[in-house]
Amino acid sequence: MAILKILTAPDKRLKQIAQPVTKVDDALRKLMDDMLETMYAAPGIGLAAPQVGVAKRVIVIDVEHVREGSLPQPIFLANPEILEQEGEIRWEEGCLSVPEFFSEVVRSAWVRAKGLNRYGQEVAFEAEGILAVCLQHEIDHLNGVLFIDHISRLKRELALAKMKKKNKGDD
Ligand code: GNR
Ligand code: NI
């Protein structure tokens, strides 16, 4: 396994639409494993392939591992899709690609989703709470959308200005 470099805004690769996965093979499973290791190391509760510079519709999620004493419960999904959604939930979000900036986002409170698991089998499931929030956040990444695209323009510019300042001096 390997820890991958996480891209940060305003990298243009974060704004691209990722391509559907055509085959879940060993190479894709290696990408999933590397993404999971990268997410755990960050640490984060989710990661989408575009964040590590791979324009494929692949996400990993584990909303449990941050809780002390809980076992890892990783979810690997290729071509995730939301089938149904209901209600509204407000959550203070952050993103590994927009470090050190947090803001409340309104999302669907409940979702029914499907995708391919790490063996290429189609799975469907329901989610609410933080899992529903994280799933919507990760699918957004596959469509080139960041959580700051859901907040007011003023706050978004603030976040991007902060990023610019931070990136100064980097190569
Ligand atoms: O680690 C993360 N935490 C988080 C908190 C609230 C809502 C969404 C997230 S996802 C984020 C990791 C990340 O950037 N995934 O794309
Ligand atoms: Ni993110």
Side-chain angles (χ1 to χ4, degrees):
M1 295 222 276
I3 292 180
L4 310 170
K5 186 170 176 265
I6 298 177
L7 305 178
T8 53
D11 194 300
K12 66 178 191 304
R13 286 168 286 181
L14 294 169
K15 301 261 81 190
Q16 289 169 350
I17 298 199
Q19 293 306 305
V21 166
T22 51
K23 198 166 149 222
V24 181
D25 55 11
D26 284 346
L28 197 85
R29 277 186 285 274
K30 170 155 190 345
L31 172 67
M32 287 170 161
D33 290 341
D34 288 347
M35 284 173 59
L36 192 74
E37 191 182 12
T38 303
M39 183 195 84
Y40 283 151
I45 59 170
L47 193 69
Q51 292 181 276
V52 293
V54 178
K56 288 186 181 161
R57 303 190 80 80
V58 176
I59 64 174
V60 298
I61 294 177
D62 189 341
V63 297
E64 285 296 323
H65 84 280
V66 287
R67 289 219 321 248
E68 211 175 327
S70 68
L71 288 169
Q73 288 182 32
I75 297 172
F76 303 92
L77 282 178
N79 303 340
E81 269 179 63
I82 299 208
L83 302 169
E84 261 188 274
Q85 47 198 321
E86 262 176 40
E88 262 186 26
I89 187 171
R90 289 168 183 276
W91 205 282
E92 181 89 355
E93 296 197 16
C95 180
L96 295 171
S97 297
V98 192
E100 290 165 49
F101 183 83
F102 303 88
S103 191
E104 200 174 77
V105 176
V106 181
R107 300 205 185 257
S108 301
W110 173 91
V111 299
R112 199 163 66 79
K114 70 164 188 179
L116 302 175
N117 68 13
R118 61 178 284 126
Y119 307 105
Q121 300 158 325
E122 185 154 309
V123 291
F125 60 96
E126 293 176 18
E128 56 185 8
I130 181 64
L131 182 57
V133 169
C134 190
L135 191 64
Q136 291 168 82
H137 176 117
E138 301 315 335
I139 292 177
D140 267 358
H141 275 300
L142 305 181
N143 296 321
V145 175
L146 299 175
F147 84 101
I148 52 172
D149 296 322
H150 292 291
I151 64 181
S152 75
R153 177 166 167 193
L154 188 68
K155 281 191 192 162
R156 180 166 55 252
E157 311 257 286
L158 201 74
L160 290 170
K162 206 171 158 182
M163 292 295 306
K164 225 176 180 173
K165 205 168 159 188
K166 217 168 116 62
N167 289 342
K168 236 192 218 166
D170 289 12
D171 50 352

